[in-house]
Amino acid sequence: MKMKKFLLLTFGLLLAFSAQAAKEESSQAFMNAVRNFRSTGTYSKLSGVIQHRRRGGRVENTPLYFGIIIQKERFTAQLLIDNRDSLLISQSHKSGSAAVTALAGSAKVLDRVGLRATDLTLGFLHGKLLKELPRESLSMAPCRVMLLESGDKKETVKVWISADHYFPLKAEFFRKGEKKSYRTLECNGFTKRNELYYARYINVEGPGWRTRVAFDADKAELGFYNPKQPVNIMRAVPAGKK
């Protein structure tokens, strides 16, 4: 009787695993879900600091504000650095194309610290899917690993994405034809606010330098976007900073 019960239990588990495997999304379907995971319409207003250090140098701290509205068709964001350089970022979910416009100051202000405006919007996720690589775990989180090609075809990006939460945890950037990454990005410190999650820390590093974007949890404002009652995510550059 015990053996029969054990066999039934084992058979049931095998059926469960088989059903789960059958339901698993294809690589492309998984990436589509990742890219549109927050398509119900949300917004965020995050304030923090950019912490940058080059080998042998001191840590440089620069104030940062990041506001974003995510809708089904596209997202629109503002990046305000040191209350001086204001960048408008927009990206279409359908085409994956992104545009960065300097409203005040220069769009090149981030070059010095190794950041891209689209790092904060996770724009690299919209690259062309080349293939799925073997699964790996990061900090005990099972990840599906994707190899993507940037829109300008100048680099490929290897991305570790949480299989359970559809959020990228790490990305390595490779120049076309090179086997060694020249840039790495990691997201961590996931925090919940108003039923929504955001990454408190975005770490980017390259040869001889490291940069961290650290958001202040006490100042974080997240919510669901209602087109009939639009929220303003834009901040003006103070008169004395123009």
Side-chain angles (χ1 to χ4, degrees):
M1 183 67 180
K2 287 184 179 180
M3 178 59 71
K4 183 177 181 181
K5 185 176 181 180
F6 174 77
L7 289 173
L8 286 172
L9 178 61
T10 304
F11 183 67
L13 286 173
L14 286 173
L15 283 178
F17 282 124
S18 298
Q20 183 177 359
K23 288 192 303 182
E24 186 171 83
E25 297 162 301
S26 68
S27 302
Q28 190 62 62
F30 178 74
M31 284 307 303
N32 291 341
V34 169
R35 291 163 179 160
N36 296 282
F37 187 63
R38 298 169 290 179
S39 61
T40 52
T42 61
Y43 74 90
S44 303
K45 297 181 183 181
L46 305 173
S47 297
V49 62
I50 301 172
Q51 301 168 331
H52 174 70
R53 183 176 184 178
R54 293 203 171 261
R55 186 178 293 133
R58 296 182 178 181
V59 175
E60 301 175 18
N61 295 303
T62 306
L64 171 82
Y65 165 77
F66 176 65
I68 186 169
I69 294 174
I70 301 172
Q71 295 175 282
K72 186 174 182 179
E73 299 81 12
R74 64 170 48 249
F75 62 70
T76 304
Q78 183 200 21
L79 190 56
L80 182 60
I81 306 157
D82 200 19
N83 283 317
R84 184 188 305 273
D85 299 284
S86 178
L87 309 178
L88 179 68
I89 312 163
S90 60
Q91 184 158 348
S92 165
H93 284 302
K94 185 175 182 180
S95 68
S97 59
V100 179
T101 306
L103 302 177
S106 170
K108 295 182 179 180
V109 64
L110 295 176
D111 291 347
R112 183 176 56 81
V113 296
L115 276 177
R116 301 171 181 174
T118 52
D119 285 341
L120 279 77
T121 61
L122 305 177
F124 56 84
L125 289 174
H126 292 265
K128 178 184 177 182
L129 175 63
L130 297 178
K131 62 180 177 179
E132 181 167 3
L133 302 173
R135 293 191 177 207
E136 298 181 28
S137 290
L138 287 181
S139 301
M140 299 178 64
C143 294
R144 295 182 70 168
V145 184
M146 304 292 175
L147 188 66
L148 310 175
E149 182 181 56
S150 63
D152 60 11
K153 299 185 179 181
K154 291 183 178 180
E155 66 181 12
T156 55
V157 188
K158 182 180 178 181
V159 190
W160 287 257
I161 303 171
S162 168
D164 298 324
H165 302 292
Y166 293 78
F167 200 92
L169 302 181
K170 180 180 178 180
E172 290 184 346
F173 298 78
F174 300 80
R175 292 188 179 94
K176 201 70 173 181
E178 296 184 2
K179 295 183 178 181
K180 185 177 180 180
S181 65
Y182 73 99
R183 190 170 183 271
T184 302
L185 179 149
E186 293 189 61
C187 300
N188 51 48
F190 291 95
T191 305
K192 189 176 184 180
R193 178 66 59 90
N194 293 337
E195 303 305 315
L196 299 170
Y197 283 92
Y198 70 100
R200 281 193 64 193
Y201 306 107
I202 298 177
N203 302 304
V204 185
E205 65 178 273
W209 62 270
R210 289 186 178 183
T211 293
R212 163 176 276 202
V213 175
F215 293 117
D216 187 337
D218 293 331
K219 296 180 180 179
E221 180 182 339
L222 290 85
F224 292 93
Y225 182 74
N226 181 357
K228 296 181 179 179
Q229 297 177 324
V231 61
N232 181 21
I233 61 163
M234 303 296 290
R235 287 191 181 178
V237 175
K241 290 282 189 175
K242 294 181 180 179

